[in-house]
């Protein structure tokens, strides 16, 4: 990561390590969407969703604040070059964080799946051998696997929707077999 001297026009994040790198957007900033400058509002809250940086933005005329990752926003006014450099650093760190969290969630689901598969394999061996099952697959383990898979899927969807999942890692829905 490149070290940059922050110009006075770039606000300091009061919690600079909350996202792994300083965020060039702060609470109170007036922002616009990076693709459509006519869509914007004020940042009212910064938070982390499973390690992914998010901004809560209040928009004029909308009673509900909208959650948007900071790299989808542009701050109104200020030093654009410093902003762009700082945002590039943040996105780079966020990609690493997303990959780490995704791998952790995959390993958790895999662990539950392997344990459940072992129990099911024992039942199959017993039944094939003409014996009554020596184990009954654990319902709570199946529930843990179900929840781990749901959590993994939701996180995968989140990092895909906010642009942190590289295209090579995203499933190719055009070549997936039909059910």
């Amino acid at each position: 990561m490149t070290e940059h001297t922050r110009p006075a026009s770039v606000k300091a994040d009061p919690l600079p390590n909350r996202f792994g790198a300083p965020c060039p957007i702060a609470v109170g900033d007036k922002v616009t969407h990076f693709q459509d400058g006519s869509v914007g509002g004020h940042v009212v809250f910064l938070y982390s969703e499973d390690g992914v940086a998010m901004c809560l933005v209040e928009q004029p005329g909308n009673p509900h604040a909208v959650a948007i990752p900071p790299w989808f926003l542009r701050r109104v006014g200020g030093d654009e070059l410093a902003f762009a450099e700082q945002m590039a650093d943040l996105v780079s760190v966020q990609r690493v964080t997303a990959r780490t969290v995704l791998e952790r969630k995959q390993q958790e689901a895999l662990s539950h799946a392997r344990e459940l598969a072992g129990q099911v394999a024992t039942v199959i061996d017993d039944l094939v051998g003409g014996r009554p099952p020596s184990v009954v697959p654990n319902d709570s383990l199946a529930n843990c696997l179900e929840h781990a898979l749901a959590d993994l899927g939701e996180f995968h969807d989140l990092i895909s929707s906010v642009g942190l999942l590289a295209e090579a890692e995203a499933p190719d829905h055009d070549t997936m077999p039909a059910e």
Side-chain angles (χ1 to χ4, degrees):
M1 190 172 358
T2 309
E3 290 294 320
H4 299 286
T5 304
R6 180 192 305 265
S9 62
V10 178
K11 293 181 183 179
D13 185 344
L15 301 170
N17 293 321
R18 80 170 93 194
F19 306 128
C23 182
I25 294 178
V27 170
D29 282 351
K30 183 175 181 181
V31 294
T32 61
H33 192 275
F34 80 105
Q35 289 182 327
D36 183 358
S38 68
V39 176
H42 285 88
V43 177
V44 294
F45 190 64
L46 296 173
Y47 67 99
S48 172
E49 186 172 330
D50 265 337
V52 177
M54 298 296 282
C55 299
L56 205 55
V57 179
E58 283 185 345
Q59 299 172 310
N62 186 349
H64 303 287
V66 179
I68 304 172
W71 46 90
F72 283 10
L73 301 171
R74 294 293 174 254
R75 192 178 60 245
V76 174
D79 183 342
E80 287 299 314
L81 179 59
F83 178 88
E85 289 173 348
Q86 202 172 17
M87 191 60 76
D89 289 346
L90 176 63
V91 170
S92 177
V93 168
Q94 285 282 284
R95 285 187 192 281
V96 171
T97 299
R99 167 55 48 210
T100 300
V101 172
L102 182 64
E103 288 172 358
R104 187 190 77 233
K105 289 177 182 289
Q106 289 170 332
Q107 288 304 312
E108 181 182 339
L110 180 61
S111 173
H112 293 308
R114 283 183 172 150
E115 190 173 347
L116 186 59
Q119 290 179 0
V120 170
T122 299
V123 169
I124 290 170
D125 286 344
D126 289 343
L127 293 173
V128 167
R131 300 176 302 277
S134 58
V135 298
V136 175
N138 189 326
D139 284 346
S140 66
L141 184 56
N143 288 334
C144 287
L145 175 59
E146 181 181 0
H147 291 294
L149 290 172
D151 188 39
L152 174 62
E154 289 169 10
F155 185 71
H156 188 276
D157 291 348
L158 171 66
I159 62 176
S160 294
S161 70
V162 300
L164 293 178
L165 187 64
E167 280 190 36
E169 301 168 44
D172 183 358
H173 296 289
D174 293 334
T175 60
M176 294 183 76
E179 293 186 35

